[in-house]
Amino acid sequence: MEQKTCPCRKTAETPLPYAACCQPYVEGKAQAPTAEALMRSRYSAFAVGNIDYLIESVAPEQRHDIDRGSLVAWSKDSTWDGLEIVDTVDGKEGDTTGIVEFIAHFTRERKREAHHERSTFRKENGRWFFVEGAKPKGKPMIKAQDVGRNDPCPCGSGKKFKKCCGA
């Protein structure tokens, strides 16, 4: 039986099966060893609809504003086309902080979209957490349509745009 390619590796030169890439993290069977691995697993969680993992992988102090319904809708109403890692700063196994710049490609309402973000991660007690995301400085944010104030923030935080990147 052929294993399906991990959502985070759909466009990679060397695709990996989901079971050998993000699945152990998304299903809670292992901890992401690096900030990039957490970023990849969060993208994959959107693709497979594991909203619990998306919420649990956010730093605890950032969870109060998460809109679960928005995460469910974004996950369910999108086709996840691939993840592109642009840059990483620190975030290795021995680090306690890291930054991952990425472009998440997806299709929603028959429109191809791309979300470009520079995310900050923190490691506590051996576990990486997403802390916050921001538009890369000096680079245009790639998007296909405007985000409304009450729409889910395209950074994937689960918050409404007005309370996150739109603040």
Side-chain angles (χ1 to χ4, degrees):
M1 184 167 120
E2 186 179 324
Q3 293 185 325
K4 85 177 172 183
T5 300
C6 188
C8 85
R9 305 280 182 165
K10 274 186 175 179
T11 57
E13 287 182 30
T14 310
L16 288 173
Y18 180 53
C21 192
C22 293
Q23 186 176 15
Y25 312 134
V26 173
E27 293 182 356
K29 295 176 182 170
Q31 295 295 321
T34 65
E36 181 178 328
L38 182 64
M39 179 64 248
R40 288 182 174 283
S41 67
R42 285 178 53 79
Y43 177 87
S44 293
F46 270 108
V48 301
N50 190 326
I51 306 308
D52 289 337
Y53 179 76
L54 288 169
I55 293 170
E56 291 165 8
S57 62
V58 172
E61 73 277 4
Q62 301 290 351
R63 293 181 194 161
H64 63 282
D65 256 354
I66 293 176
D67 179 350
R68 183 183 187 83
S70 295
L71 288 174
V72 169
W74 194 18
S75 173
K76 185 177 127 192
D77 297 341
S78 300
T79 301
W80 300 90
D81 302 320
L83 178 68
E84 189 179 333
I85 302 297
V86 176
D87 187 29
T88 58
V89 178
D90 299 327
K92 306 287 187 271
E93 289 189 43
D95 295 328
T96 56
T97 61
I99 296 171
V100 179
E101 183 176 338
F102 66 93
I103 303 172
H105 300 277
F106 59 99
T107 303
R108 185 170 56 186
E109 296 176 0
R110 295 187 296 207
K111 294 179 188 167
R112 290 190 50 90
E113 299 188 43
H115 173 73
H116 189 176
E117 178 178 303
R118 193 165 174 86
S119 294
T120 304
F121 296 87
R122 179 181 71 232
K123 189 176 185 181
E124 286 181 8
N125 300 319
R127 183 173 178 197
W128 284 100
F129 292 97
F130 167 79
V131 178
E132 65 182 345
K135 177 173 66 168
K137 288 184 175 29
K139 298 179 185 176
M141 184 170 192
I142 301 168
K143 64 180 184 174
Q145 64 188 39
D146 289 333
V147 179
R149 288 176 33 83
N150 290 314
D151 289 340
C153 190
C155 78
S157 67
K159 299 177 185 178
K160 289 185 179 183
F161 179 70
K162 69 183 178 186
K163 293 201 172 209
C164 191
C165 295

